[in-house]
Amino acid sequence: KARVFARRTASTVFLWGLVTAIFVSHWSWAYLGLIAVLILIATIEYFAMLRTAKVACFPRFGIVAAVAYCAALHWYFLNGKPPHPDLDAFAVFAVLAGSFTLQLRQPIRGLESLLSVAANVLGFVYIAVLFNFAARLLFVVENPAPGTIGDQGAFLLLWLLAVTKFTDMGAYLVGSLIGRHKMIPHVSPGKTWEGFGGALFFSQLAGIGLFLAFPTQLAALGHLGHVVTLGVLLALLAVVGDLAESIVKRALDAKDSGQMLPG
């Protein structure tokens, strides 16, 4: 446990250091570049898990689709334009049609043939589409000059990251120290109700603390009651998201969902 904790702490410190440097820069290419790199890493590791579990899929197509989607979406933001409203629908259609087209080249092997298509579509939506909401958040309040990120967008993303990460840290710290009552052992044996309480507490600590420290930059969040409500909702979604990852790992019999960043 001590070794795992040390590795996770080092990974967290490294990521926060990188995020801090990019946050201070206010360069849109740096923000979007980090998001794109993380999406690429996550997509590669997703398909690596599928291949290790011998799940039929189309990894090269999936990786190219994620890169192409990021490039198209981020092009709009880098040029100071709102994304085309049909971009997401077209992207999902293209991945679905492309996956079925690739499957036409393979013999039909019962349910496996359908799962190969589903695995590619799930990976694209789960990682590339959903992760890019972080990119959208940067420009949802204001439209700064092309090439830059405004204070409000930057702080909204920082607030979201902090609340989500503190939820995860709170669950891990409290669960490791005093966790006794299992939450959903058939999905994630390590999750406890004590850890869940720690997740809710730490999420409020981050959400309220940042809002009080930077009221002008986070004015888009409204009042304190709104911040508290959002903090609770995000904490609940963060826990569900963590358990969703556990479902993916257990379904694929993978101990870790990635190898590049510990924890």
Side-chain angles (χ1 to χ4, degrees):
K1 277 191 175 182
R3 185 166 59 251
V4 171
F5 181 76
R7 292 176 62 206
R8 290 189 173 190
T9 301
S11 176
T12 298
V13 171
F14 167 74
L15 282 175
W16 275 114
L18 183 62
V19 168
T20 300
I22 291 174
F23 176 78
V24 173
S25 75
H26 277 260
W27 293 330
S28 58
W29 64 265
Y31 280 79
L32 297 174
L34 176 61
I35 291 171
V37 167
L38 291 175
I39 288 173
L40 178 60
I41 291 173
T43 301
I44 291 172
E45 295 201 323
Y46 169 77
F47 282 108
M49 284 196 300
L50 290 177
R51 295 302 294 269
T52 300
K54 301 189 184 310
V55 176
C57 57
F58 312 108
R60 282 179 290 184
F61 174 68
I63 293 169
V64 169
V67 171
Y69 175 73
C70 287
L73 180 65
H74 296 181
W75 179 87
Y76 284 102
F77 292 135
L78 289 171
N79 287 279
K81 301 177 181 180
H84 194 284
D86 295 327
L87 177 61
D88 286 358
F90 174 77
V92 173
F93 160 76
V95 171
L96 181 62
S99 299
F100 269 115
T101 302
L102 289 172
Q103 182 57 45
L104 292 175
R105 302 166 53 195
Q106 309 293 329
I108 302 301
R109 292 186 291 268
L111 190 59
E112 180 182 317
S113 300
L114 190 58
L115 288 178
S116 64
V117 175
N120 268 72
V121 177
L122 172 64
F124 179 74
V125 174
Y126 183 45
I127 299 171
V129 174
L130 293 186
F131 204 151
N132 263 307
F133 273 90
R136 294 175 183 273
L137 187 63
L138 292 167
F139 304 92
V140 73
V141 176
E142 54 190 339
N143 292 309
T148 62
I149 298 292
D151 274 345
Q152 293 190 59
F155 272 87
L156 276 177
L157 181 58
L158 175 66
W159 187 86
L160 173 66
L161 288 173
V163 172
T164 305
K165 189 61 182 176
F166 269 68
T167 299
D168 185 44
M169 289 193 301
Y172 182 73
L173 290 173
V174 176
S176 298
L177 292 173
I178 61 172
R180 295 292 182 272
H181 301 87
K182 300 297 182 182
M183 190 176 178
I184 308 180
H186 64 279
V187 174
S188 182
K191 300 291 188 298
T192 63
W193 286 108
E194 291 83 358
F196 178 68
L200 293 177
F201 175 77
F202 273 73
S203 70
Q204 293 299 323
L205 194 66
I208 295 174
L210 278 176
F211 181 71
L212 295 178
F214 303 101
T216 302
Q217 294 87 339
L218 292 172
L221 293 177
H223 51 81
L224 189 59
H226 190 207
V227 171
V228 171
T229 303
L230 270 179
V232 172
L233 289 174
L234 283 173
L236 293 175
L237 287 171
V239 171
V240 171
D242 194 25
L243 290 169
E245 186 181 354
S246 295
I247 291 175
V248 173
K249 290 192 296 185
R250 290 181 70 83
L252 298 176
D253 196 26
K255 184 178 184 297
D256 295 307
S257 57
Q259 304 297 325
M260 299 183 188
L261 295 172

